[in-house]
Each structure stands twice: as structure tokens, then as C-alpha cells.
Amino acid sequence: MENAGKVRLRYAPSPTGPQHIGGIRTALFNYLFVKKHGGTFVFRSEDTDQTRFVPGAEEYIVDSLQWAGITIDEGIHVGGPYGPYRQSERKDMYRQYAEQLVKDGHAYYAFDTPAELEEMRERMSSQGNPSPAYDHITRQYMKNSLSLSQDETEKRLASGDAYVIRLKMPRNEELKFEDLIRGWVVFNTSQLDDKVLFKSDGMPTYHLANVVDDHLMHITHVVRGEEWLPSAPTHIMLYRSLGWEDTMPRFAHLPLVLKPEGNGKLSKRDGDRLGFPIYTLNWENPLTGEKISGLAERGFLPEAYMNFLALLGWHPGGDKEVMTPEELVESFSLDRVGKSGARFDPEKAKWINQQHIKMKTGAELAELLAPTLEAAGVSAEPAFVAAACELMKDRAVFIPDLYEQGKFLFGDDLEYDEKTVAKKWKKENAGLFENLRERLFLLEQFSESELERTVHDFMEDKGLKAGEVMPVLRLALAGGLQGPPVSAMMALLGKESCDNRLKKGFQLFNTLI
Ligand code: GLU
């Protein structure tokens, strides 16, 4: 990589609401590329559209990145040499570039009122034009510094008439660039409109601010969603017109994140529809009261989240799909990012989380499970919780499952699955099971191997099959047939709790059938 060690990428969301996994995926691809090449990850807030600003959205996005392990090197909350990193705080520096463009003949003042713009659109539609635009043709009939005399323009500017500055898109020129994912992309300027660069409220539009900032912040690569591809020619035209073509960043447009069914872009409502969070963290919109739920609170692991997001559009070289953040950084490259949309698959997400849960130690899981246990009012020795997590981890999809599916480990008060008891318990064997309980009680070492041996010997002595004994033990120890291996479960519970459960269970089973 020719720029090795010097790459600077930015994630530049607009704080118009919380970002779902599609947005965080964009941040992640920027981050992985930066880490791979030893560069800098910049976070910039593109908040120029004051009408769409949602309080708290910026913090929400920063918190989401932080939770996911995507560290910001430079940006809001962190600082850096090219700040400020919030566009509203950079407001005053954009006008000069827009004015410069006008002076050099690449942009112009436009005085049209909203009513006049509407009238133009209506007129063009009625003439059969399906997508009316302010462009190299219509600009000739509108009120702007290209169609009006210089005197008239100056008079309007001096009188304080509202105006915008528009980019003068040339006629019939070929604009092309090499996208790092899509290869050569070609546009003809005649198909492009004269985008507003500077608004009447004194704020730049996204296009101007984005290009000016990427230039001033020395951004080397722009990695963003495919929805921005149509904006790329405007940006390229701006780089050219501002004389910055030599240092123009490379572009990479990521494939869209699609609904699981593949029909359209994943959208904020899909989380509810699927019963599976598509956001990182829980949040309540302070303006609308609307609530969204996060994968973090649901019990997703940050490293699984990163792994799963990386696979939304990127294909690792080999068969290995379950990867740690370090492995992702190591093997990431933009040329393994596909062009076609990436389907969001909740089942795959669950599977990946499960694999990462399995990779953790019992003690690590116990720490992650602490909030769940606290909420359930369960208190247990840390060593016990760790051992329980170790036993349960092969079955958990989300962290709280370690408790939800292993509740019976945390208290002797069990709920019995009576139907199964009726099927498995034979009254005539009651005496035999009592004998087994005594044998177990006499064990000096209540270890998994001793327990296993004792149960095995008992079965042999009494001529009983595993199918007649194990389910009954499970029912007495856990209330149902679920759970980890019986002897492991007994060793974890310890002699006293086991003996109580067996005693209580066998007595109860006699009354149930
Ligand atoms: N502010 C744009 C957004 O909300 C940034 C697009 C870009 O990366 O250029 O995603």
C-alpha cells in the first residue's frame, strides 16, 4: 500500500438519529482499514442540517462505537490537530470556498424563491420530464448570477435578498473515478444537476462541507455506503474546481445492508418486525419518545458484533468465519468487499455470538452475566457462577441465556416438568433411587469422575439402563430434561444441594403419578 502508515479515514455521520447496524458497519470498515494500515480513524459530526438535528444522537453514535471496540483516534470528544470536528463549529470556514468557486466561475449565486423552484419543477414535469432539475439547461431560465446581468446580481446581493450558491456542473463532460470496490465508475455531467453548496441560512450543504473537511483533514480514503455513490461526481467536480485534485481521497462505496428477505435496504422498523435488535444500544428518542433496543443489552458480545458486522459485505479469504478483532484487522482488505447488497441474517448473527461465547472462560462470562443475576436478585459465589457459566456456555446464544437456561443451578426451588415425570418415573424403582441417593451421599470426593463412576456402578448392580436412570436424575436435579451432563451438574451443585434435590424430587415424583 503506497500510503502505508499515513492513511487517514473518517466516519462522518449526521446526527439525525441513532445509527443502526448499517451505519456502524461503515464505521467498522473504516476502522479495520485504518488498523490494518496503521493509520488514523477520524470521527466527524456532519450536523449542518439543523432542521434534522436530534439531541443525543451524536453521543449515541459515539457510545455505540465505543461499545463495539471501534476506537476513535481523532474527532469530537477526543480532539486532534484538524479540529473542530463538528461541522456546525466550523461554519465560518466554508463560505470562503463557496465564494472562491463563484469567483473562479465554477459556481454561481441563485436567487430563486421556493415558489419559483416549484413552478419550474411543475412546468418541466408537465412537459414530460420525469426528473426535473436545476441544471445546465434550466439554469438559463432561472434567477441566478449566470442569467441575470452583473448589475442586477450585485443589487440583489447588496439588498440582502436570500440566495444560495450552486455548483455550475459543466455540460457533457465525462467524470470518472476508480472506486476501490466497484472499479471504474463513469458519469456524464449532463445528467447531473447544479447542487446547492451554500444555503441561505449561512450553512454549507453536505457536499461542500464534506469535501472541504476531507481536504482540510487530509483524508486519504473515503469509505462509505453505496447510497453516497450518486454524490461522488459532485464531490469529484468540487475537488477539481477547488484545485485539490492531486490530493483527492480514494473512494470505496460499500454495498447496502439489506433486509433478511433481500428486498430492500434494512430500515429502522425491521428490528421490531424481526424481533431482533438492529441497533447497538438501547435508546429513547428525546423528541418523539420512540424507543429502540440494542444488541448490547440483549446480550451480544462486542467482539461477536464486530465479527458479524465485518461479514456484512466482506468475505474472508478462507473458510474461517469466526474471528477475533485482531484476526479481522489482520485479514481485512477492501478488495474482498463485494459489490452486491449484503443480507442481514439474524440467525447468522446469533450463531456468531454463540461461537464467541464458547471462546470465553467461565470467569469472563460470569463477569458479563453479573447484571443479569443482579436484576434477577440472585447472589452466588463468583467461583460458583464461573463454574456454572463454564457448564452452560455451549448452549447460550445471548449472555442472559447462561442464567435463563441454567436457572436451576442457582436455587433449590425447582419447577418440575410433570408430564416428563409421569413418563420417566416408575414407582417400583423408588427404593432403588433411594439407594443411589445414599451411595452418592457417602462419597468422600464429590467430583465429576467419582459421581460418574458411582452412578455407573449403581446401574450395573441393579441391572438398570442409562435411559431409566439419567432422565430421573435430571428431573430431580433440574426439574426438566435440559441442562449440562448429570455428573458435571451434581459436582457443581455440591453434595448438600444434590442430596436435598434428590430427596425432595423422589418424594414428590411418587405423589405426582
Ligand atoms: N454525513 C454523511 C452521512 O450521514 C456522510 C457521508 C460520507 O461519508 O460522505 O452518512
Side-chain angles (χ1 to χ4, degrees):
M1 167 96 238
E2 64 174 325
N3 261 331
K6 291 197 218 115
V7 305
R8 291 178 55 83
L9 277 73
R10 81 324 190 253
Y11 179 52
S14 299
T16 55
Q19 292 263 318
H20 69 48
I21 55 173
I24 306 301
R25 194 270 319 243
T26 298
L28 176 65
F29 282 27
N30 276 278
Y31 169 82
L32 292 175
F33 189 88
V34 158
K35 288 290 153 207
K36 168 102 189 200
H37 298 286
T40 305
F41 179 87
V42 181
F43 184 103
R44 181 171 75 226
S45 176
E46 300 208 326
D47 60 346
T48 52
D49 190 349
Q50 298 289 304
T51 58
R52 294 181 60 217
F53 183 80
V54 174
E58 203 176 82
E59 288 73 17
Y60 179 86
I61 299 169
V62 171
D63 291 347
S64 298
L65 297 189
Q66 195 183 16
W67 180 82
I70 300 174
T71 41
I72 300 170
D73 300 315
E74 220 179 280
I76 57 166
H77 300 299
V78 182
Y82 305 106
Y85 293 91
R86 200 174 271 120
Q87 289 184 330
S88 57
E89 291 166 21
R90 304 169 66 80
K91 186 175 158 201
D92 298 335
M93 65 175 87
Y94 301 111
R95 182 185 286 272
Q96 55 176 306
Y97 296 102
E99 299 285 359
Q100 185 65 40
L101 286 166
V102 176
K103 220 167 100 211
D104 296 344
H106 299 301
Y108 58 90
Y109 301 110
F111 304 97
D112 317 273
T113 62
E116 286 165 341
L117 290 170
E118 190 48 39
E119 194 197 317
M120 178 265 280
R121 285 193 201 103
E122 268 170 26
R123 187 160 23 89
M124 303 234 0
S125 309
S126 68
Q127 288 166 3
N129 189 326
S131 44
Y134 205 118
D135 59 15
H136 64 283
I137 298 173
T138 48
R139 75 162 84 105
Q140 301 170 52
Y141 313 106
M142 303 302 287
K143 294 204 177 66
N144 53 58
S145 55
L146 300 176
S147 63
L148 301 171
S149 69
Q150 197 174 341
D151 267 9
E152 175 70 17
T153 301
E154 272 163 21
K155 225 165 60 203
R156 280 178 180 258
L157 288 175
S159 71
D161 269 10
Y163 67 86
V164 298
I165 295 178
R166 285 183 182 270
L167 179 64
K168 186 179 166 195
M169 195 51 95
R171 231 185 104 227
N172 201 21
E173 268 184 38
E174 197 175 74
L175 266 188
K176 59 178 190 173
F177 70 97
E178 195 181 7
D179 188 281
L180 292 168
I181 294 169
R182 275 146 224 280
W184 285 100
V185 183
V186 186
F187 292 88
N188 185 296
T189 54
S190 292
Q191 275 143 17
L192 303 167
D193 60 343
D194 291 354
K195 287 272 185 293
V196 173
L197 300 177
F198 203 80
K199 296 180 284 185
S200 52
D201 64 0
M203 279 290 215
T205 57
Y206 154 70
H207 301 293
L208 181 68
N210 187 271
V211 165
V212 167
D213 285 349
D214 281 349
H215 174 73
L216 297 179
M217 294 179 183
H218 302 280
I219 297 304
T220 57
H221 296 74
V222 167
V223 177
R224 61 184 172 192
E226 185 182 326
E227 61 273 35
W228 302 102
L229 188 59
S231 300
T234 302
H235 298 176
I236 288 164
M237 202 60 197
L238 277 171
Y239 281 104
R240 199 183 276 183
S241 308
L242 287 161
W244 297 340
E245 220 173 358
D246 289 352
T247 54
M248 187 169 89
R250 304 292 312 268
F251 289 94
H253 290 91
L254 304 173
L256 295 177
V257 176
L258 305 177
K259 294 179 196 296
E261 301 79 10
N263 55 346
K265 224 170 121 173
L266 185 71
S267 81
K268 63 178 190 184
R269 308 240 169 281
D270 286 324
D272 291 341
R273 186 176 64 86
L274 299 166
F276 190 88
I278 59 161
Y279 288 90
T280 316
L281 306 167
N282 284 352
W283 197 57
E284 182 172 335
N285 186 319
L287 302 179
T288 60
E290 186 190 8
K291 286 190 181 136
I292 54 172
S293 54
L295 280 157
E297 289 83 356
R298 180 72 180 268
F300 225 81
L301 295 174
E303 47 276 57
Y305 186 58
M306 202 187 253
N307 189 170
F308 160 64
L309 289 188
L311 298 178
L312 282 174
W314 172 70
H315 308 279
D319 301 335
K320 189 170 149 79
E321 283 196 310
V322 179
M323 297 170 134
T324 63
E326 295 74 30
E327 287 169 333
L328 289 173
V329 167
E330 178 59 29
S331 42
F332 187 77
S333 76
L334 284 175
D335 48 64
R336 299 204 67 86
V337 175
K339 290 193 199 89
S340 49
R343 261 179 223 225
F344 163 64
D345 178 356
E347 292 311 313
K348 176 89 175 262
K350 286 185 196 165
W351 180 79
I352 290 191
N353 202 40
Q354 203 171 8
Q355 306 313 308
H356 281 269
I357 288 180
K358 279 193 202 167
M359 279 152 62
K360 294 221 170 277
T361 64
E364 286 168 335
L365 292 170
E367 222 168 280
L368 295 164
L369 187 63
T372 308
L373 293 182
E374 202 183 302
V378 173
S379 67
E381 285 295 313
F384 176 86
V385 180
C389 287
E390 190 61 54
L391 265 192
M392 293 306 299
K393 73 180 184 182
D394 286 349
R395 290 164 184 78
V397 173
F398 296 108
I399 291 294
D401 294 346
L402 294 164
Y403 170 66
E404 294 297 334
Q405 295 179 16
K407 254 185 203 163
F408 51 85
L409 296 174
F410 293 90
D412 285 354
D413 244 348
L414 304 180
E415 270 177 47
Y416 299 93
D417 170 358
E418 295 186 13
K419 265 199 200 140
T420 313
V421 170
K423 267 191 234 146
K424 300 287 176 190
W425 178 249
K426 295 204 178 70
K427 253 192 183 146
E428 61 273 26
N429 285 349
L432 294 176
F433 276 103
E434 203 38 41
N435 175 269
L436 173 60
R437 185 182 68 78
E438 278 161 16
R439 289 191 191 200
L440 296 171
F441 192 71
L442 290 175
L443 278 178
E444 263 175 35
Q445 268 204 19
F446 211 71
S447 67
E448 199 176 326
S449 55
E450 282 297 291
L451 286 160
E452 202 174 309
R453 194 179 50 76
T454 310
V455 175
H456 183 262
D457 290 353
F458 163 79
M459 293 195 294
E460 248 184 26
D461 278 2
K462 309 290 177 192
L464 291 169
K465 290 197 213 83
E468 293 170 292
V469 176
M470 292 317 206
V472 174
L473 287 178
R474 266 186 195 287
L475 284 165
L477 293 165
L481 294 184
Q482 77 280 34
V486 170
S487 40
M489 195 155 49
M490 290 199 285
L492 173 72
L493 290 169
K495 191 188 272 186
E496 199 184 325
S497 168
C498 261
D499 196 56
N500 287 340
R501 289 178 190 217
L502 295 181
K503 207 184 289 169
K504 186 172 157 199
F506 300 156
Q507 272 168 15
L508 185 81
F509 297 166
N510 270 331
T511 66
L512 285 181
I513 55 164

